[in-house]
Amino acid sequence: MNSMGVPLTQKREPRLCFLQPSLDLCNRRLWISATGFPDLSLPLDNTTNQKRDIEAEICNSKVCGEKVSGMDCGKKVNDWISLVLNQSGLKMIRILPNSKRKQKQGSTALSLANDSQYLLVTSGSLLQLAGDLETKGISYQSDSAEEDEEKSEDNCIQKSARNLLRRFRPNFLVSEWIPYEEENWDQIQIASFIFKSGGPCSRCGTICLDQKTGQRSSEPLLTLAARRNGNPKFGIHLHTLNSEIENSQSTISIGDTVTIVQKIQPNSSITHLKLNVKPQESIKTSSSSYSSLLRQNQRLISDID
């Protein structure tokens, strides 16, 4: 948040896309890196020697008017972020464990996310959008010669889809090949966890921000809106139904089966799919049609978070 207490998002500060977080779960640390600056490390857990509690109002369209109690992460962190973003008076706020903020539709606990705990997209939807853009002569292939050499067997649409994924920043990518079929899912199971759909995610101009360069354009929002009859929805919101998930020792891994427990159309048959993406890990799939798209994406997934 800035010195006026207004939270920063990529809409307001596009240079936020240059901050690359990573988690060290063994040592319970969050690392944030930015090109040209030393890495920043801070504890994942709340500590008693943190700064005073503060209260800040979240001022974006999704949670405007709601107040959250947070903790200032300290001068070292604040000075680092202010330096990297070239703005004085910035602060990083950690939400308190006893925060009472809930989803507007339902009782699921939220931290500082707009609408839901998790976001899921499917390969079919991603590839269709990349194909639509390709027909307009728009490609999101990597500008990195190193990345292009590693993925030399991919076609243009596959390369564009892989790089488009950075803009949508999902938690999960599932190998469902029918575009937008995920919008027909009501409940899914991954490992021992049950998730309920919160409906499609309405997209805004943030997806027009290049996560590598910080440059804005009108795409892919225009093409997505045209494909979706003026309503640019992409991916679905998810929240957990089993409340013990936060204390569970179970994990979700790449390659886990995703079971469609219940569809919005009740006559649809139950389907078993493969989970391809878990944050901070690479993508894998057994599909012969798109296997090259869903391989060797360690850097890609790191960029999503």
Side-chain angles (χ1 to χ4, degrees):
M1 57 182 274
N2 64 19
S3 59
M4 301 297 292
V6 178
L8 293 187
T9 67
Q10 288 190 12
K11 290 181 184 179
R12 194 179 292 271
E13 178 47 81
R15 288 174 293 186
L16 282 169
C17 69
F18 298 145
L19 305 184
Q20 298 298 317
S22 61
L23 298 177
D24 179 355
L25 295 179
C26 293
N27 296 303
R28 304 295 300 169
R29 306 289 296 182
L30 168 66
W31 288 86
I32 307 177
S33 62
T35 302
F37 297 89
D39 291 350
L40 175 70
S41 172
L42 59 157
L44 285 176
D45 303 307
N46 288 310
T47 56
T48 55
N49 60 355
Q50 291 245 275
K51 291 260 184 173
R52 61 183 175 83
D53 289 359
I54 69 168
E55 200 169 72
E57 186 172 358
I58 306 302
C59 298
N60 60 51
S61 61
K62 299 295 183 181
V63 290
C64 187
E66 294 184 332
K67 291 185 177 181
V68 294
S69 296
M71 298 175 69
D72 187 334
C73 288
K75 185 177 186 302
K76 178 183 176 180
V77 175
N78 297 338
D79 288 348
W80 187 90
I81 292 190
S82 296
L83 180 63
V84 171
L85 298 180
N86 195 28
Q87 289 192 46
S88 61
L90 297 183
K91 293 182 179 180
M92 180 181 286
I93 304 303
R94 180 199 302 272
I95 195 166
L96 293 177
N98 59 353
S99 170
K100 302 299 183 182
R101 184 170 175 247
K102 303 289 184 181
Q103 275 185 271
K104 290 186 176 180
Q105 297 181 352
S107 58
T108 304
L110 288 179
S111 55
L112 298 175
N114 281 353
D115 288 321
S116 60
Q117 295 174 318
Y118 307 101
L119 183 68
L120 178 150
V121 303
T122 63
S123 301
S125 303
L126 195 65
L127 286 164
Q128 185 184 74
L129 178 59
D132 289 343
L133 290 162
E134 193 73 20
T135 61
K136 297 171 69 173
I138 302 171
S139 175
Y140 291 98
Q141 297 183 55
S142 173
D143 293 329
S144 167
E146 179 183 350
E147 286 189 21
D148 283 340
E149 183 178 351
E150 290 180 1
K151 315 295 188 309
S152 58
E153 73 276 19
D154 292 357
N155 63 38
C156 294
I157 292 177
Q158 290 170 327
K159 289 179 180 178
S160 288
R162 185 173 56 250
N163 289 294
L164 271 173
L165 190 60
R166 293 189 178 101
R167 297 179 180 234
F168 291 105
R169 297 181 294 169
N171 301 101
F172 303 113
L173 172 66
V174 175
S175 57
E176 162 62 60
W177 305 112
I178 302 175
Y180 306 107
E181 172 64 17
E182 62 272 22
E183 295 178 9
N184 193 37
W185 302 346
D186 184 56
Q187 293 182 27
I188 66 173
Q189 180 172 350
I190 310 174
S192 61
F193 306 122
I194 305 294
F195 299 88
K196 182 172 177 59
S197 172
C201 177
S202 297
R203 298 297 182 161
C204 64
T206 301
I207 65 172
C208 297
L209 183 68
D210 189 318
Q211 295 296 304
K212 286 288 188 181
T213 67
Q215 298 298 309
R216 294 188 187 276
S217 66
S218 59
E219 294 288 5
L221 187 63
L222 288 180
T223 298
L224 179 61
R227 165 63 69 175
R228 306 307 309 273
N229 298 316
N231 194 350
K233 296 181 178 181
F234 197 90
I236 59 172
H237 296 290
L238 293 177
H239 64 268
T240 56
L241 288 182
N242 34 351
S243 58
E244 68 276 9
I245 187 171
E246 292 184 1
N247 299 319
S248 173
Q249 297 300 311
S250 299
T251 58
I252 293 175
S253 303
I254 301 166
D256 281 353
T257 296
V258 179
T259 301
I260 313 306
V261 177
Q262 182 174 316
K263 291 192 174 185
I264 294 174
Q265 297 177 1
N267 293 330
S268 300
S269 60
I270 292 178
T271 306
H272 301 278
L273 306 169
K274 287 293 183 182
L275 176 68
N276 289 324
V277 174
K278 179 171 180 269
Q280 300 298 328
E281 297 193 52
S282 59
I283 303 175
K284 296 179 181 177
T285 183
S286 58
S287 169
S288 58
S289 300
Y290 299 106
S291 60
S292 57
L293 168 66
L294 302 174
R295 290 203 305 265
Q296 302 171 338
N297 284 277
Q298 177 67 45
R299 286 194 300 276
L300 171 58
I301 304 308
S302 296
D303 287 340
I304 290 175
D305 295 338

